[in-house]
Amino acid sequence: FIYWLIYFLCLLPNFVQKFLVNTFFTKRHHKKSLANNIEEVVFRMSTNFSTVRSLFHMGQDEMKHVKEFDEKWLEEHSDLLLFYYGKADKWCP
C-alpha cells in the first residue's frame, strides 16, 4: 500500500508534494514547520520512489537479520563510534 501511495505522490506537482510532506511531518513532530535545511532533504527522500523502495528494503532486511544486540561488537569498536543524545529528539526517545 505504501509503495502505491509514494508512487502516486511522485506523480503530483512539486508544490503539492511539498505541501503534503510538510503537513505530514509537522503534524507528526508537533511543530509549525520543518527547519529549512531538513525540509528539502525530507522532501527529496520521501518523494523519490526508488529511495522509498530502498528504505523499505533496508528496514525489512534489518528486521529479518538483526535478532539481538551484539554488545561484544560494540565494545570492540567503541573507539570508532560516537553517539549523540538529545532530550527533545523525537527520533530516539
Side-chain angles (χ1 to χ4, degrees):
F1 173 74
I2 293 178
Y3 285 144
W4 284 103
L5 185 64
I6 297 301
Y7 177 76
F8 286 116
L9 179 65
C10 294
L11 298 176
L12 296 173
N14 280 351
F15 75 93
V16 175
Q17 292 176 2
K18 284 185 179 185
F19 172 77
L20 292 173
V21 168
N22 199 31
T23 301
F24 172 77
F25 281 98
T26 54
K27 287 186 186 289
R28 183 168 186 235
H29 295 287
H30 308 292
K31 294 185 177 190
K32 291 184 180 179
S33 67
L34 292 171
N36 287 338
N37 56 342
I38 295 174
E39 182 177 328
E40 190 61 31
V41 172
V42 169
F43 168 71
R44 281 189 276 141
M45 286 182 65
S46 59
T47 56
N48 183 320
F49 184 72
S50 177
T51 303
V52 173
R53 185 180 59 218
S54 296
L55 289 170
F56 276 100
H57 175 72
M58 182 182 69
Q60 183 182 29
D61 185 62
E62 187 173 327
M63 294 298 160
K64 188 176 176 182
H65 292 98
V66 178
K67 301 294 183 189
E68 59 188 49
F69 178 66
D70 190 352
E71 191 172 342
K72 182 181 175 201
W73 183 91
L74 187 63
E75 288 174 1
E76 289 175 5
H77 298 90
S78 63
D79 58 324
L80 302 173
L81 301 171
L82 183 61
F83 292 94
Y84 291 96
Y85 173 77
K87 289 183 179 181
D89 187 0
K90 301 281 188 192
W91 292 88
C92 185

